[in-house]
């Protein structure tokens, strides 16, 4: 729950670029939709190649289809309804007007009698009944039925209701022909209702052409060819996918009006356009998701940067804010990858999977459902078996690794074995270890040898069974060949989004974990704040005081300073020495208020640092630390720190005071030369002088200098000492020294041990009076002298 909430907060950063986010999501959905469209086009092309754009005759229908059709048209009333024989009085009046317009023409009543006599109906009928007769004859005549057949069908189908059933029973010889006729009527009505009048007219023209060529009865028994998608419209009538196909045909006449070449070419062109659109959507989804996640990651990284500088607690360790670096790099990169996967794979692939599944069920619900049930069964059974053997395999691998470690140990006992004459004993041990190792490896590979073929066998059997079922359905006419091909393509396509989604779960899991670490860091409260109406601190004029200062290390609670009290007079040069570098850094970090002490006060000229502005305090303090001597930028920016108030002449003057101008001038681009890890490499002495120039440029009241641990050559030492001699007089300086000459030059030395000031005085006094100081001097400066090649400084007389 915590990980999900943290990742939800990370996802909220995607809203900073909403256009890219939602466009990426929409484009991802569009790729799935367009892929389904490609499958639909594949189905249309497969139907065209298999069925050749034919509308089958009744006798060409599958037995099951014929039975369904016969059941639907079994009742005579249904026959009349399908022929749309009703009571349109206006239509009767149009063809048999009740008023005489031509004196030579027979009267309406006479015309009615003649018509009824022609069709064999002697009784006088009303207008409504006559309308049904005329409508029926016109409907049959439009189908190309001959005059003789017209009279027979009229007599059979429009006899009085009391003996209609008996008349139809006697018409057994006309049954099959009547079904062919009804099938033609059905085709006309389907095409008229689903596609349009023009499609029904095309059917009429094709039928009449065949009737002229072969005769009406022969034409009724022949299929109508080369009508494109209309054959598929008829075969899928009454199904949901049939409605979609009919809708496409209704506003795309090229799919049925111009022959198979135009239809096939049109499908090719549409497929190319759809494929191009899908490629563009894929690009848009990927690129816009990248833009959105980059924006989110940038804002998160910016938040980490600003929060890092609000957390003074991060400044204590020598390497600086390592936790912030970890949050900004490793954790944020994991969150970035997870956000990108969520915008693309995690959102797009399930949508694509759902669309493909819906399409497969739409093509043939029963067969698709059987396939899914078989896949789930294989996954449940085979997956559990595979998981069992994988667990056994991992256990066997661990056991084999343990035995291998024991074998290595036995190999390392060569001296012991030879000395104590243990050859036979050790050899038997090794043989047992080898046997156990071989057994563990055998169990591991046996499991792999079982579950992999088992999974393949189960999948193959499931596929064969499905192929057998599909074949039976095709042979029985319940499923067409083209439908089976499209269904197979859709079901196979389900594999890729599922696998892609599963592969990205690792990125998501790692992103969820990193999101927790990331927001744990960002939710940490800042350590130092500035009070309202804080006063402006004037430059140090009298003294700097530490009054019973106590400090605990953030996070661990370790006490770094314990009631430290000391006073540094203005203009005094002091040194902090001690065995623990963190304690010394803690004391100097309190001066610029990287954080505040747990107890006690720090005062400058009797002004508590808590009640002064941070800008006025930090403007008086310059720090030179060995881990932050230079950064990756030009020399000018390293000294001036990008402040436009420090012009290049001022920067050069500060560099000259620090004896850095000479080597800077020789760099490839002078003061514009990039330096640092990604620029021109400087020696440690050169880096230290650049850092001194940075501090000198600001003319601080308090200067804190940590000398490098890496030894400097004698020439550099002389240049640094000259800089100190010209810059430090009259300036309050706190040294973290690593050179004897620096310690000797200090007015006061504070010995910081176990978080307390153990002693203070000048160098000679502490050497005489403090054994611990003398021991520290021996340890550090003898080692240092050994590194630099000088003579050990073991004699206190030379000090």
């Amino acid at each position: 729950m915590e990980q999900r909430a943290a990742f939800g907060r990370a996802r909220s950063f995607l809203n900073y670029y909403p256009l890219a986010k939602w466009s990426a999501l929409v484009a991802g959905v569009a790729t799935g939709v367009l892929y389904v469209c490609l499958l639909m086009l594949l189905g249309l092309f497969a139907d065209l190649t298999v069925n050749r754009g034919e509308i089958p005759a009744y006798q060409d229908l599958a037995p099951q289809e014929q039975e369904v059709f016969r059941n639907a048209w079994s009742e005579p009333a249904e026959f009349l309804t399908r022929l749309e024989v009703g009571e349109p009085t206006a239509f009767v009046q149009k063809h048999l007007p009740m008023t005489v317009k031509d004196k030579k023409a027979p009267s309406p009543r006479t015309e009615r009698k003649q018509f009824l006599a022609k069709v064999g109906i002697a009784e006088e009928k009303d207008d409504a009944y006559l309308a049904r007769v005329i409508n029926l004859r016109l409907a049959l005549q439009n189908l190309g039925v001959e005059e003789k057949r017209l009279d027979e069908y009229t007599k059979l189908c429009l006899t009085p209701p009391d003996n209609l059933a008996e008349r139809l029973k006697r018409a057994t010889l006309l049954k099959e022909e009547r079904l062919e006729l009804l099938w033609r009527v059905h085709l006309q009505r389907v095409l008229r209702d689903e596609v349009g009048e023009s499609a029904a007219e095309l059917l009429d023209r094709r039928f009449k052409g065949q009737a002229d060529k072969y005769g009406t009865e022969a034409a009724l028994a022949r299929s109508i060819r080369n009508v494109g998608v209309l054959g598929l419209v008829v075969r899928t009538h009454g199904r949901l996918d049939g409605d979609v196909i009919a809708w496409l045909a209704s506003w795309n006449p090229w799919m049925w009006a111009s022959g198979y070449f135009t239809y096939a070419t049109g499908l090719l062109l549409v497929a190319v356009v759809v494929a191009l659109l899908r490629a563009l959507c894929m690009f848009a989804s990927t690129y816009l998701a990248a833009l959105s996640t980059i924006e989110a990651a940038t804002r998160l990284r910016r938040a980490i940067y600003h929060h890092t500088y609000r957390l003074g607690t991060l400044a204590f360790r020598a390497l600086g804010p390592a936790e912030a670096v970890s949050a900004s790099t490793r954790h944020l990169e994991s969150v970035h990858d997870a956000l990108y996967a969520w915008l693309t794979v995690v959102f797009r692939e399930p949508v694509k999977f759902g669309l493909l599944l819906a399409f497969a069920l739409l093509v043939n619900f029963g067969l698709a459902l059987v396939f899914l049930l078989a896949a789930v069964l294989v996954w449940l059974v085979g997956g559990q078996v595979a998981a069992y053997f994988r667990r056994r395999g991992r256990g066997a691998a661990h056991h084999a690794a343990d035995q291998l470690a024991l074998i290595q140990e036995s190999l390392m006992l060569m001296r012991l074995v030879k000395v104590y004459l243990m050859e036979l004993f050790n050899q038997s041990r090794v043989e047992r270890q080898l046997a156990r190792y071989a057994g563990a490896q055998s169990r591991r590979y046996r499991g792999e040898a079982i579950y992999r073929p088992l999974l393949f066998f189960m999948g193959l059997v499931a596929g064969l069974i499905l192929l057998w079922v599909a074949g039976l359905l095709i042979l029985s006419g319940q499923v067409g060949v083209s439908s089976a091909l499209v269904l197979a393509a859709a079901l196979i396509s389900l594999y890729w989004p599922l696998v892609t989604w599963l592969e990205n779960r690792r990125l998501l899991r790692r992103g969820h974990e990193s999101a927790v670490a990331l927001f744990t860091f960002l939710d940490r409260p800042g350590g130092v704040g500035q009070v309202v109406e804080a006063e402006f601190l004037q430059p140090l004029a009298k003294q700097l005081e530490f009054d019973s200062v106590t400090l605990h290390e953030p996070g661990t609670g370790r006490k770094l300073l314990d009631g430290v009290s000391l006073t540094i007079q203005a203009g005094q040069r002091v040194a902090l020495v001690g065995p623990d570098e963190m304690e010394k850094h803690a004391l100097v970090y309190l001066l610029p208020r990287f954080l505040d002490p747990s107890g006690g006060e720090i005062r400058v000229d009797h002004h508590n640092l808590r009640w002064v502005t941070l800008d006025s305090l930090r403007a008086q303090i310059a720090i030179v630390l060995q881990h932050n001597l230079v950064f990756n930028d030009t020399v000018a920016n390293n000294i001036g720190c990008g402040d436009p108030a420090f012009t290049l002449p001022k920067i050069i003057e500060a560099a000259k005071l620090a004896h850095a101008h000479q080597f800077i001038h020789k760099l490839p681009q002078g003061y514009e030369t990039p330096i640092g890890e990604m620029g021109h490499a400087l020696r440690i002495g050169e880096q230290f002088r650049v850092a001194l120039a940075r501090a000198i440029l600001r003319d601080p009241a308090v200067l804190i200098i940590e000398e490098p641990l890496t030894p400097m050559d004698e020439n550099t030492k002389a240049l640094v000492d000259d800089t100190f001699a010209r810059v430090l007089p009259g300036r309050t300086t706190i040294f973290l020294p690593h050179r004897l000459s620096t310690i000797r030059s200090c007015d006061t030395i504070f010995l910081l041990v176990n978080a307390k000031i153990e002693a203070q005085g000048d160098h000679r006094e502490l050497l005489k009076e403090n054994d611990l100081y003398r021991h520290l001097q021996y340890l550090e400066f003898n080692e240092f002298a050994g590194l630099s090649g000088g003579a050990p400084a073991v004699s206190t007389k030379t000090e």
Side-chain angles (χ1 to χ4, degrees):
M1 183 63 71
E2 181 185 6
Q3 292 182 355
R4 189 179 297 110
F7 191 68
R9 290 180 62 184
R11 283 205 313 269
S12 67
F13 278 76
L14 295 173
N15 295 326
Y16 284 106
Y17 202 161
L19 178 61
K21 171 190 173 182
W22 292 108
S23 298
L25 294 177
V26 171
V29 173
T31 57
V33 173
L34 292 173
Y35 187 81
V36 172
C37 291
L38 286 175
L39 289 179
M40 291 179 62
L41 292 172
L42 173 64
L44 294 175
F45 185 76
D47 175 76
L48 175 63
T49 55
V50 172
N51 298 303
R52 301 183 180 182
E54 292 185 354
I55 297 180
Y58 173 78
Q59 66 180 10
D60 295 330
L61 295 176
Q64 185 180 10
E65 293 175 334
Q66 289 182 351
E67 182 179 358
V68 172
F69 182 74
R70 283 197 302 269
N71 293 335
W73 289 72
S74 60
E75 297 296 330
E78 182 68 18
F79 174 75
L80 298 177
T81 303
R82 295 296 177 93
L83 288 176
E84 297 182 349
V85 178
E87 301 178 1
T89 305
F91 187 79
V92 176
Q93 293 174 354
K94 177 181 178 182
H95 290 274
L96 295 174
M98 301 303 293
T99 59
V100 180
K101 295 182 179 179
D102 190 349
K103 293 181 179 180
K104 296 181 181 180
S107 66
R109 184 169 298 279
T110 303
E111 188 175 359
R112 184 183 297 114
K113 287 182 179 182
Q114 293 176 355
F115 178 77
L116 293 176
K118 178 181 179 182
V119 299
I121 300 176
E123 303 94 70
E124 181 70 20
K125 301 296 180 183
D126 57 12
D127 293 343
Y129 184 78
L130 185 59
R132 299 178 66 183
V133 175
I134 296 173
N135 280 342
L136 175 60
R137 289 183 66 85
L138 290 175
L140 298 177
Q141 191 174 10
N142 287 334
L143 291 173
V145 180
E146 298 174 352
E147 189 73 16
K148 180 180 178 181
R149 294 294 189 188
L150 285 176
D151 296 340
E152 292 177 0
Y153 285 130
T154 306
K155 291 177 183 179
L156 286 171
C157 298
L158 290 180
T159 51
D162 54 350
N163 59 357
L164 177 59
E166 186 178 351
R167 288 291 186 90
L168 287 177
K169 287 180 182 178
R170 290 199 301 267
T172 55
L173 295 177
L174 299 174
K175 182 176 180 181
E176 291 302 321
E177 187 178 336
R178 182 169 67 88
L179 287 173
E180 290 286 358
L181 179 63
L182 294 178
W183 175 246
R184 295 294 178 182
V185 174
H186 170 70
L187 294 180
Q188 277 193 326
R189 184 168 183 181
V190 167
L191 295 182
R192 183 181 298 110
D193 295 343
E194 300 292 339
V195 181
E197 190 65 35
S198 56
E201 292 175 356
L202 175 65
L203 183 66
D204 286 342
R205 290 196 300 271
R206 295 294 178 86
F207 179 74
K208 289 178 179 178
Q210 291 181 356
D212 294 340
K213 185 175 181 180
Y214 304 107
T216 303
E217 295 184 15
L220 286 173
R222 297 179 66 87
S223 61
I224 298 178
R225 300 181 178 181
N226 200 15
V227 288
V229 77
L230 295 184
L232 185 60
V233 171
V234 172
R235 284 189 296 275
T236 57
H237 176 65
R239 290 167 25 191
L240 186 58
D241 57 335
D243 295 338
V244 177
I245 295 170
W247 174 74
L248 287 174
S250 65
W251 58 278
N252 289 284
W254 58 269
M255 299 177 72
W256 47 268
S258 303
Y260 68 87
F261 180 80
T262 302
Y263 181 33
T265 305
L267 290 178
L268 173 64
L269 295 178
V270 172
V272 171
V273 172
V274 172
L276 178 61
L277 290 176
R278 185 175 184 273
L280 292 176
C281 288
M282 285 288 293
F283 167 77
S285 174
T286 303
Y287 181 67
L288 293 174
L291 290 181
S292 183
T293 51
I294 288 172
E295 179 67 20
T298 301
R299 288 181 176 272
L300 283 169
R301 193 167 275 115
R302 185 180 295 121
I304 292 173
Y305 172 81
H306 289 299
H307 193 62
T308 299
Y309 284 88
R310 288 194 293 268
L311 295 174
T313 57
L314 298 178
F316 268 102
R317 297 194 176 273
L319 295 179
E323 185 180 359
V325 172
S326 176
S328 182
T329 54
R330 181 169 63 90
H331 292 308
L332 190 52
E333 285 300 309
S334 297
V335 171
H336 175 275
D337 293 341
L339 289 176
Y340 180 75
W342 182 83
L343 266 182
T344 53
V345 174
V346 177
F347 187 86
R348 180 183 65 205
E349 299 305 325
V351 171
K352 182 179 177 181
F353 184 89
L355 290 173
L356 288 172
L357 180 59
F359 179 73
L361 294 172
L362 183 65
V363 172
N364 190 285
F365 182 84
L367 189 57
L369 188 61
V370 170
F371 173 86
L372 292 175
L373 292 176
V376 171
L377 182 62
V378 170
W379 179 76
L380 288 177
V381 177
Q384 294 302 317
V385 172
Y388 170 76
F389 282 108
R390 278 198 293 265
R391 286 194 299 269
R392 285 175 57 90
R394 285 194 296 267
H398 291 319
H399 186 63
D402 294 339
Q403 297 304 314
L404 189 61
L406 293 175
I407 294 172
Q408 292 173 352
E409 180 196 44
S410 298
L411 291 175
M412 300 298 293
L413 296 176
M414 181 181 65
R415 297 184 185 89
L416 188 65
V417 169
K418 287 182 176 295
V419 169
Y420 289 96
L421 304 177
M422 295 168 53
E423 286 87 351
L424 294 178
F425 173 76
N426 197 54
Q427 182 178 353
S428 64
R429 289 177 67 250
V430 171
E431 290 296 333
R432 289 194 301 271
Q433 292 162 359
L434 287 173
R436 295 190 189 109
Y437 173 78
Q441 291 288 52
S442 176
R443 289 193 300 274
R444 173 190 170 191
Y445 288 111
R446 183 168 60 246
E448 293 183 1
I450 291 175
Y451 81 81
R452 293 183 186 276
L454 178 62
L455 284 178
F456 178 78
F457 172 75
M458 293 182 65
L460 182 61
V461 169
L464 291 174
I465 292 175
L466 290 172
L467 184 61
W468 177 73
V469 172
L472 291 180
L473 293 176
I474 292 174
L475 293 174
S476 64
Q478 299 181 39
V479 177
V481 176
S482 59
S483 297
L485 291 175
V486 176
L487 181 63
L491 294 175
I492 293 173
S493 299
L494 290 174
Y495 173 78
W496 303 112
L498 181 62
V499 169
T500 305
W501 181 80
L502 291 175
E503 288 177 350
N504 281 268
R505 290 179 62 191
R506 178 178 56 85
L507 287 178
L508 285 175
R509 183 169 58 252
R510 190 167 60 190
H512 280 70
E513 295 170 355
S514 294
V516 174
L518 180 63
F519 286 104
T520 299
F521 174 79
L522 288 175
D523 291 339
R524 186 181 303 170
V528 176
Q530 181 173 291
V531 298
V532 179
E533 298 183 356
E535 61 179 323
F536 184 86
L537 181 64
Q538 298 295 330
L540 175 65
K542 298 178 182 178
Q543 61 185 16
L544 172 64
E545 301 173 86
F546 284 75
D547 185 5
S548 301
V549 172
T550 300
L551 180 66
H552 295 86
E553 182 181 5
T556 65
R558 172 195 169 194
K559 188 175 288 186
L560 298 175
L561 299 176
D562 185 9
V564 171
S565 296
L566 58 89
T567 301
I568 301 173
Q569 301 297 327
Q572 193 177 20
R573 188 183 305 183
V574 302
L576 292 176
V577 296
D580 194 330
E581 294 293 327
M582 189 174 292
E583 292 180 356
K584 296 184 288 184
H585 282 99
L587 192 143
V588 298
Y589 287 166
L590 290 175
L591 288 177
R593 285 193 69 197
F594 290 157
L595 80 168
D596 291 325
S598 307
E601 293 183 359
I602 305 174
R603 294 185 291 271
V604 173
D605 294 340
H606 308 294
H607 295 279
N608 191 330
L609 296 188
R610 290 179 182 268
W611 312 112
V612 301
T613 62
L614 292 174
D615 289 344
S616 63
L617 170 63
R618 292 171 181 173
Q620 297 188 38
I621 300 174
I623 298 181
V624 178
L625 299 175
Q626 62 176 336
H627 293 292
N628 298 109
L629 294 177
V630 295
F631 52 89
N632 295 303
D633 210 318
T634 64
V635 177
N637 283 338
N638 263 270
I639 298 175
C641 297
D643 191 338
F646 300 127
T647 60
L648 184 59
K650 292 181 179 180
I651 292 173
I652 294 175
E653 185 63 29
K656 288 179 178 179
L657 285 174
H659 290 290
H661 178 72
Q662 293 83 353
F663 74 82
I664 294 174
H665 187 67
K666 296 178 182 179
L667 293 176
Q669 301 173 36
Y671 282 84
E672 295 301 319
T673 303
I675 60 173
E677 294 182 0
M678 299 177 66
H680 190 87
L682 300 179
R683 293 191 296 271
I684 189 65
E686 295 172 338
Q687 295 181 28
F688 186 63
R689 282 179 280 167
V690 170
L692 284 176
R694 182 191 304 129
I696 293 169
L697 181 62
R698 281 147 184 81
D699 191 23
V702 179
L703 183 58
I704 300 171
I705 301 175
E706 180 184 20
E707 293 184 312
L709 281 171
T710 305
M712 296 181 291
D713 59 79
E714 294 300 325
N715 182 51
T716 301
K717 291 178 183 178
L719 295 176
V720 169
D721 288 337
D722 181 70
T723 298
F724 289 164
R726 289 193 292 169
V727 173
L728 300 186
R731 194 186 308 272
T732 305
T733 307
I734 301 175
F735 275 106
L736 278 65
H738 294 293
R739 293 191 304 143
L740 277 174
S741 60
T742 303
I743 293 178
R744 291 170 179 169
S745 68
C746 290
D747 302 319
T748 304
I749 300 171
F750 295 99
L751 178 60
L752 185 61
V753 181
N754 295 328
K756 296 182 178 180
I757 300 295
E758 291 292 332
Q760 69 180 66
D762 62 23
H763 178 61
R764 292 183 179 275
E765 292 174 353
L766 293 177
L767 278 177
K768 291 179 181 179
E769 300 173 1
N770 194 287
D771 294 337
L772 180 58
Y773 179 80
R774 199 162 41 246
H775 179 67
L776 291 174
Q777 292 294 302
Y778 175 80
L779 290 178
E780 180 170 357
F781 294 107
N782 270 274
E783 179 183 2
F784 191 87
L787 288 172
S788 60
V794 295
S795 174
T796 60
K797 293 182 180 180
T798 62
E799 301 296 334

